[in-house]
Amino acid sequence: MLEIQKIRENKDLIINRLNEVRKIDLKETINKLYSLDEQKRETQQKLDSSQSELNMLSSKIGELFKAGKVEQANELKAKTSKLKDVIKQNKEDFTDLESTIHELFCLIPNVPNELVPAGKSEDDNEIVSSQEINKEQFKSFIPHWDLCQKYNLIDFELGVKISGAGFPVYKGKGARLQRALINFFLNEASKMGYEELMVPHLVNSKSGFGTGQLPDKEGQMYHAEMDDLYLIPTAEVPITNIYRDVIVNAKDFPIKHVGYTPCFRREAGSYGKEVRGLNRLHQFDKVEIVQVTHPNSSYETLEEMVKYVESLLIKLELPYRKLKLCGGDLGFTSALTFDLEVYSPGQDRWLEVSSISNFETYQANRLKLRFKEENKTKLAHTLNGSALALPRILASLLENNQDEKGIAIPKALVPFTGFDRIDN
RNA sequence: GGAGAGUUGGCAGAGUGGUCGAAUGCGGUGGUCUUGAAAACCAUUGUGCAGCAAUGUACCGGGGGUUCGAAUCCCUCACUCUCCGCCA
């Protein structure tokens, strides 16, 4: 959520940037918000002063009663009833304004950083760097879903039987490989100073709101209605919400956490080749890194996080490219996002395996995540990134390392798998 | 699932209708003392909103009510704990 302060000071600038970079027109919404905010402040001033008057009368009445001057006290009492009506009305107006303002705020996404390229869709994303792909050499390569069947690594049909499409069953070396990847990612993150966490996989609606999944993406999450809990779509939600309503010690910056969790996504409206095999699942595994930083250093942190995730891909020897998301593809809560995509030779396409974002104060403002500096409380910056999401890594890993007889395991992973080849 | 107890500032814990944003202790910060540290002593120390400021206002789990006045009384919801039951 944007800070009201920013809208008071830079209203037109924000409208323009959202329009130019994200390609959405929020002029009306923001202008309305601006005038409602003015009304709200006026109402508060009225409310405060009548409240103050009532407080004064009340304490006088108290004194009079104590002094035994009942008559005078009763005279003053009569005065209060009108005042109470005024207060009641002002309070009503005030809370109405507050809730309308809140609703409007929920419609406004984060303002993109100046580095974000303008654009409507993923086609406008900027390719920052990319490894050369020699497509000739992959001519005979088959997609991972065929490899999974050939070597009995994943049973998609079995998952359909148990749960439905998008819930694969990993078997044998396929399952071992999953566990190896998780351990590898967690170990690497620990080495970089991220504190490892195991967090709940179901969260309450306050947490969903804090990181911005609610109300914007309600339909994307599984909801256990009886207990009003949501299955997490990413570990970002429970991990970042640790800092909801917290004033952290500035000395603790940067706060770094890593966590492995399954992630659950309804993926309503997805279809076709987009969802084939491991491309898009309802349940998948992911190791997530989260940082909370001082506002001055969050962009350095973002760079560092991107570099770190790249280092994982390099260790896994996977061909990848780095994208800077354009305004139209940028997440609702993000100010700047880099995506990392690995090449899938069996499908001849790039698969997103990590999205690393700086949310600046957008999440922190919802979370009320602050720190103290020079006797003032200020909002911190939050960042997160996948490090990494497993299914597409697995897909790319299987496809890139295939030969006629089997699949080679990257060296970095062998200590974790206990085997260096998959074959029949 | 059944029965009971509870929810107050960073923590512990007083406070049962006005003088309570709230005693006290611990912790934090600054200082005195000290070669340095500890101890001791002194001072300071919640958050939001409005306001240039002075200041005002709100907040004692959430919401509502009674009252001139609510941390305190009433209703309601949520959560936590204890015991019993069930159970990995």
Side-chain angles (χ1 to χ4, degrees):
Chain A
M1 193 142 48
L2 293 183
E3 297 138 87
I4 187 67
Q5 208 61 35
K6 286 188 180 165
I7 289 189
R8 281 179 201 157
E9 288 165 10
N10 305 307
K11 178 171 67 81
D12 295 322
L13 203 85
I14 290 170
I15 292 170
N16 287 338
R17 278 203 63 70
L18 290 176
N19 199 359
E20 279 163 28
V21 183
R22 283 195 186 258
K23 306 291 180 196
I24 48 169
D25 181 11
L26 287 171
K27 188 172 180 183
E28 212 174 298
T29 307
I30 292 175
N31 278 327
K32 192 169 169 198
L33 191 59
Y34 185 86
S35 72
L36 286 176
D37 174 56
E38 283 188 324
Q39 280 181 52
K40 184 185 139 192
R41 285 190 278 171
E42 262 173 49
T43 310
Q44 180 175 352
Q45 288 188 7
K46 280 193 228 160
L47 177 63
D48 279 2
S49 67
S50 30
Q51 191 65 254
S52 167
E53 204 178 322
L54 182 67
N55 287 346
M56 258 171 51
L57 282 173
S58 292
S59 71
K60 261 187 208 162
I61 291 169
E63 279 166 33
L64 288 171
F65 269 125
K66 228 178 235 172
K69 298 174 179 170
V70 180
E71 230 171 84
Q72 288 181 43
N74 283 333
E75 258 171 57
L76 285 184
K77 259 201 211 181
K79 268 189 169 178
T80 60
S81 76
K82 225 188 235 169
L83 202 51
K84 277 167 80 179
D85 287 342
V86 173
I87 288 170
K88 198 179 167 191
Q89 186 59 51
N90 281 335
K91 224 180 223 167
E92 246 170 58
D93 293 348
F94 186 78
T95 48
D96 283 353
L97 283 165
E98 238 179 1
S99 72
T100 313
I101 285 170
H102 184 262
E103 278 167 31
L104 290 177
F105 260 123
C106 287
L107 300 174
I108 304 172
N110 204 348
V111 180
N113 178 280
E114 44 188 45
L115 295 171
V116 174
K120 258 200 164 113
S121 73
E122 58 182 13
D123 301 329
D124 302 318
N125 291 339
E126 180 187 318
I127 300 171
V128 181
S129 65
S130 179
Q131 260 160 270
E132 289 273 341
I133 303 297
N134 175 8
K135 291 190 179 177
E136 275 303 302
Q137 90 184 78
F138 297 126
K139 253 188 164 172
S140 60
F141 278 36
I142 58 175
H144 65 271
W145 50 84
D146 289 336
L147 291 168
C148 285
Q149 194 169 27
K150 190 170 172 188
Y151 299 109
N152 196 26
L153 301 174
I154 296 177
D155 193 330
F156 290 98
E157 295 303 313
L158 201 50
V160 171
K161 173 185 172 183
I162 300 168
S163 306
F167 293 94
V169 175
Y170 302 84
K171 296 167 88 173
K173 283 187 171 175
R176 286 283 293 269
L177 198 46
Q178 285 284 108
R179 186 152 58 86
L181 283 166
I182 293 164
N183 282 333
F184 171 66
F185 293 147
L186 286 173
N187 278 11
E188 290 293 312
S190 288
K191 279 193 227 161
M192 291 295 290
Y194 290 90
E195 186 196 16
E196 188 172 334
L197 298 173
M198 287 193 92
V199 290
H201 299 167
L202 281 86
V203 295
N204 57 30
S205 54
K206 269 191 185 169
S207 295
F209 177 79
T211 32
Q213 281 72 22
L214 293 174
D216 188 45
K217 290 182 192 151
E218 169 123 45
Q220 282 295 341
M221 287 194 287
Y222 288 98
H223 186 199
E225 283 180 34
M226 212 180 284
D227 296 294
D228 195 20
L229 292 171
Y230 294 84
L231 275 76
I232 55 170
T234 157
E236 162 194 351
V237 181
I239 293 178
T240 313
N241 270 281
I242 291 171
Y243 296 97
R244 171 152 49 82
D245 295 320
V246 170
I247 299 178
V248 299
N249 196 329
K251 280 187 251 166
D252 295 335
F253 286 145
I255 296 168
K256 303 168 80 170
H257 291 303
V258 62
Y260 153 72
T261 68
C263 302
F264 303 91
R265 297 187 184 179
R266 293 190 59 239
E267 301 292 358
S270 304
Y271 59 89
K273 71 174 166 61
E274 301 289 321
V275 304
R276 185 99 193 255
L278 291 168
N279 287 347
R280 181 157 295 175
L281 301 170
H282 288 306
Q283 177 179 333
F284 64 95
D285 296 289
K286 180 158 64 65
V287 173
E288 181 83 1
I289 51 175
V290 172
Q291 291 211 34
V292 180
T293 74
H294 191 283
N296 292 342
S297 57
S298 64
Y299 279 96
E300 283 162 43
T301 300
L302 183 65
E303 287 292 323
E304 166 210 308
M305 288 169 77
V306 172
K307 269 218 177 94
Y308 166 67
V309 181
E310 282 186 77
S311 80
L312 296 175
L313 295 173
I314 291 166
K315 282 180 184 165
L316 292 176
E317 302 167 51
L318 297 174
Y320 73 92
R321 65 178 188 180
K322 179 159 83 172
L323 306 180
K324 192 194 283 170
L325 296 196
C326 74
D329 205 25
L330 191 66
F332 193 78
T333 50
S334 176
L336 179 61
T337 297
F338 290 96
D339 271 12
L340 293 171
E341 299 185 333
V342 292
Y343 185 65
S344 157
Q347 305 181 73
D348 185 24
R349 55 188 282 225
W350 294 91
L351 301 173
E352 178 195 331
V353 289
S354 181
S355 202
I356 305 137
S357 307
N358 186 356
F359 304 95
E360 296 187 357
T361 57
Y362 194 88
Q363 287 184 331
N365 191 31
R366 289 178 164 224
L367 293 159
K368 301 289 165 249
L369 161 50
R370 293 160 295 171
F371 68 101
K372 285 216 164 146
E373 190 172 65
E374 292 160 359
N375 277 330
K376 279 185 184 164
T377 52
K378 301 177 181 174
L379 293 169
H381 281 195
T382 60
L383 306 94
N384 67 48
S386 342
L388 283 155
L390 291 239
R392 294 174 190 163
I393 288 287
L394 186 64
S396 170
L397 192 153
L398 296 175
E399 291 180 10
N400 277 289
N401 296 307
Q402 61 179 295
D403 52 47
E404 314 81 57
K405 289 182 186 158
I407 295 155
I409 303 297
K411 276 197 203 83
L413 223 48
V414 174
F416 295 90
T417 53
F419 53 83
D420 61 3
R421 270 192 77 75
I422 292 170
D423 40 37
N424 277 322

